[in-house]
């Protein structure tokens, strides 16, 4: 699992146990972000947006949004093991000005 685009491009994410959660696959994530970025109907801009990543799992969706310029991401994850892995991923890719809420 990796970050597709933006300032964290090609960085690998730490994944939780596959028995607990199923991460968003790269090709699905890429299709979703292409739709959000290029659809004339949606006119969505990542820059300065606030994102809610519910059932975060690995956090790949929210971290991808941060990589593309989102100003804030709130991650919600109920499973303790997945939550710990998510925190490790955020620490792994984080920058001096952290813009996420756990």
């Amino acid at each position: 699992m990796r970050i597709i685009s933006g300032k964290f491009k090609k960085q690998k994410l730490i994944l939780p146990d596959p028995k607990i959660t199923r991460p968003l696959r790269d090709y699905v994530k890429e299709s979703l972000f292409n739709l959000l970025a290029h659809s004339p109907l949606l006119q969505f801009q990542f820059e300065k947006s606030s994102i809610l990543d519910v059932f975060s799992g690995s956090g790949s969706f929210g971290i991808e949004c941060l990589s593309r310029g989102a100003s804030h991401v709130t991650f919600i994850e109920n499973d303790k093991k997945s939550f710990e892995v998510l925190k490790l991923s955020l620490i792994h890719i984080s920058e001096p000005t952290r813009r996420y809420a756990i």
Side-chain angles (χ1 to χ4, degrees):
M1 179 71 58
R2 63 185 173 82
I3 302 299
I4 297 169
S5 182
K7 61 183 153 197
F8 304 132
K9 185 177 182 177
K10 296 184 181 178
Q11 287 199 26
K12 292 186 179 181
L13 296 173
I14 303 164
L15 298 177
D17 183 359
K19 295 175 186 171
I20 298 170
T21 177
R22 291 180 294 156
L24 195 60
R25 295 184 182 255
D26 283 348
Y27 69 90
V28 174
K29 192 168 42 171
E30 188 171 6
S31 295
L32 176 64
F33 282 96
N34 281 336
L35 178 69
L36 288 172
H38 302 295
S39 173
L41 299 174
L42 297 177
Q43 298 179 354
F44 182 80
Q45 294 182 357
F46 288 99
E47 295 78 22
K48 300 180 182 175
S49 61
S50 293
I51 305 295
L52 178 62
D53 188 356
V54 182
F55 307 108
S56 298
S58 66
S60 66
F61 177 76
I63 294 171
E64 186 75 40
C65 290
L66 285 173
S67 182
R68 292 171 185 246
S71 63
H72 180 83
V73 175
T74 300
F75 297 93
I76 299 176
E77 177 55 55
N78 191 38
D79 182 70
K80 279 191 169 217
K81 291 179 183 177
S82 296
F83 180 73
E84 293 302 320
V85 171
L86 171 58
K87 286 195 311 188
L88 289 174
S89 286
L90 288 169
I91 291 167
H92 177 71
I93 62 103
S94 71
E95 56 189 14
T97 55
R98 294 165 59 176
R99 298 175 300 166
Y100 51 84
I102 300 176

